[in-house]
Amino acid sequence: MDWLIHLAGALLVGGMVMTGVRALRFMALGAGAVALVWAVLTGAGWAAILWASLFVLANAVQLAIMIQRGRTGDLRAEERELLGHVLGVQEPTGQRRLLDLMRWRDVAAGTVLIREGQAEPPLVYVASGAGAVEAGGRVVGTCGAGDFLGEMSLVSGQRATASVTAREPMRIAVFDRDALRQLSRSAPELGSVIAKAINQSLAAKVVRMNEAGLQSQTGA
């Protein structure tokens, strides 16, 4: 029966390298199911059976919620804003593919989202809250709702040129860079949507920096 626990471990490790959240859930569900079978067949005890059952149940529930939301188009307000307004993706299939690439997080004030010099920082979308942008130890700008972070590094392939720290609680969506690359190859139309949003974000930041520089020169 040892091969069952090895299979469960392989599925779990495979899930950790998946770029899509839904695929990760599927792999985790399979690993939990195999582990549960192993626990029952080997008489591993009630504790092992209990925890394996809870693991399976938790992943099954989350997977069912994802599938149901994908079928009904039931998006949260923050998801509608990002997918429909910022990215302009209205087609449910495209929305589901993009949702699989991101993970929503709530971060506390003081949390460092990106560090200056970080290799391949994540692409981050800010749904709410505000952060401080620092370079060389001094604040050079701010970010807020509707902004993307880490996009310059994504475009250039270079390390992060600045650090971003939450000044207040923030709600963000974190995109997986490898998953974005794969999406650009498999679905060029969605890749172009991301590229357009990134370019618009960069342009808006340049405008803000120019305005800030002009104000400092005039003493406004």
Side-chain angles (χ1 to χ4, degrees), residues 86-103:
V86 177
L87 298 179
V89 177
Q90 306 296 337
E91 202 274 324
T93 300
Q95 291 180 343
R96 288 196 297 271
R97 295 194 68 173
L98 289 171
L99 285 174
D100 280 347
L101 304 185
M102 67 183 76
R103 297 186 184 184

Side-chain angles (χ1 to χ4, degrees), residues 2 4 19 28 37 42-43 60 65 77 103 105 107 123 159 197 202 207-208 214:
D2 287 346
L4 285 173
T19 55
V37 171
T42 60
I65 291 173
R103 297 186 184 184
R105 290 178 53 197
V107 296
L123 178 66
R159 292 176 179 269
L202 286 171
V207 171
R208 288 205 302 264
L214 181 61

Side-chain angles (χ1 to χ4, degrees), residues 69-176:
R69 287 179 57 208
R71 288 176 176 172
T72 62
D74 182 19
L75 301 177
R76 295 191 293 263
E78 60 200 11
E79 293 171 338
R80 285 196 300 271
E81 175 65 22
L82 173 55
L83 297 175
H85 297 158
V86 177
L87 298 179
V89 177
Q90 306 296 337
E91 202 274 324
T93 300
Q95 291 180 343
R96 288 196 297 271
R97 295 194 68 173
L98 289 171
L99 285 174
D100 280 347
L101 304 185
M102 67 183 76
R103 297 186 184 184
W104 289 91
R105 290 178 53 197
D106 291 303
V107 296
T111 301
V112 178
L113 305 180
I114 296 176
R115 295 187 183 277
E116 185 175 359
Q118 180 179 348
E120 296 197 345
L123 178 66
V124 177
Y125 169 76
V126 180
S128 64
V133 182
E134 300 179 35
R138 65 186 185 90
V139 177
V140 296
T142 61
C143 63
D147 283 337
F148 282 93
L149 310 174
E151 74 276 45
M152 187 174 295
S153 177
L154 184 66
V155 171
S156 67
Q158 303 298 314
R159 292 176 179 269
T161 57
S163 297
V164 182
T165 304
R167 296 195 307 184
E168 58 188 57
M170 298 177 71
R171 178 69 170 169
I172 63 174
V174 182
F175 289 82
D176 184 278

Side-chain angles (χ1 to χ4, degrees), residues 98 180-198:
L98 289 171
L180 285 173
R181 293 191 190 102
Q182 293 178 16
L183 180 70
S184 295
R185 291 192 294 267
S186 62
E189 69 283 0
L190 292 178
S192 64
V193 162
I194 297 291
K196 180 180 179 181
I198 288 174

Side-chain angles (χ1 to χ4, degrees), residues 32-49:
V34 173
L36 179 59
V37 171
W38 173 85
V40 171
L41 293 180
T42 60
W46 68 268
I49 294 175

